[in-house]
Amino acid sequence: MRRKLRQVLSSLREGELIMVRWYDACTWRDVPNNMRNPKKVDSPIVSMGAYGGLVRGERLVYLRLVVERKPENSDITYIPLVLIDSIERGVMNVPKKEVRNYAQIQRWFGGEVYEI
């Protein structure tokens, strides 16, 4: 693991607001059979939420990110550490073009709902 990422992870407290930049798998549909190497396959993701610790799976270690807390349960994203590019603390403003695969609303823990 990269040194800077390891330093950030060791200093985080559970419940701290973070923004995680990471790479997810990508799926292309209806790809011509003669296409071998597309120009871009990286699928960058920006996820925000509360740090929930690290979890060891059978094969990988994951960052536990609480993306929405409700009275009875929570929505949690588990991100493999090997796919994380960077982690930023307490970031409240993300450019709309970087938010992907979420509704157009970002919910903040114990606070208001901000439209982005």
Side-chain angles (χ1 to χ4, degrees):
M1 186 184 328
R2 295 167 305 283
R3 182 180 302 175
K4 186 173 181 175
L5 183 59
R6 189 173 27 235
Q7 288 173 342
V8 171
L9 285 170
S10 66
S11 66
L12 289 174
R13 297 178 321 250
E14 280 200 33
E16 188 172 352
L17 179 65
I18 60 173
M19 179 173 70
V20 183
R21 294 176 189 271
W22 59 289
Y23 290 89
D24 200 358
C26 68
T27 300
W28 283 31
R29 303 215 187 284
D30 300 321
V31 176
N33 291 333
N34 62 356
M35 178 187 257
R36 291 288 176 235
N37 296 315
K39 291 182 181 177
K40 182 171 178 170
V41 294
D42 288 337
S43 184
I45 305 292
V46 175
S47 298
M48 297 180 73
Y51 176 67
L54 299 178
V55 176
R56 180 170 294 283
E58 275 188 45
R59 298 181 63 187
L60 299 172
V61 177
Y62 299 84
L63 181 141
R64 182 177 193 257
L65 187 68
V66 182
V67 294
E68 186 172 351
R69 186 173 305 278
K70 301 172 234 171
E72 298 297 321
N73 51 45
S74 297
D75 294 344
I76 299 171
T77 299
Y78 290 93
I79 304 170
L81 289 186
V82 297
L83 300 179
I84 295 175
D85 191 44
S86 67
I87 298 173
E88 296 177 46
R89 309 170 107 117
V91 177
M92 299 297 280
N93 185 16
V94 178
K96 186 173 183 176
K97 68 179 184 176
E98 292 191 15
V99 177
R100 222 179 86 166
N101 295 333
Y102 286 94
Q104 292 300 321
I105 294 174
Q106 174 65 51
R107 289 183 171 82
W108 300 102
F109 300 88
E112 302 173 35
V113 174
Y114 297 91
E115 291 192 12
I116 53 176

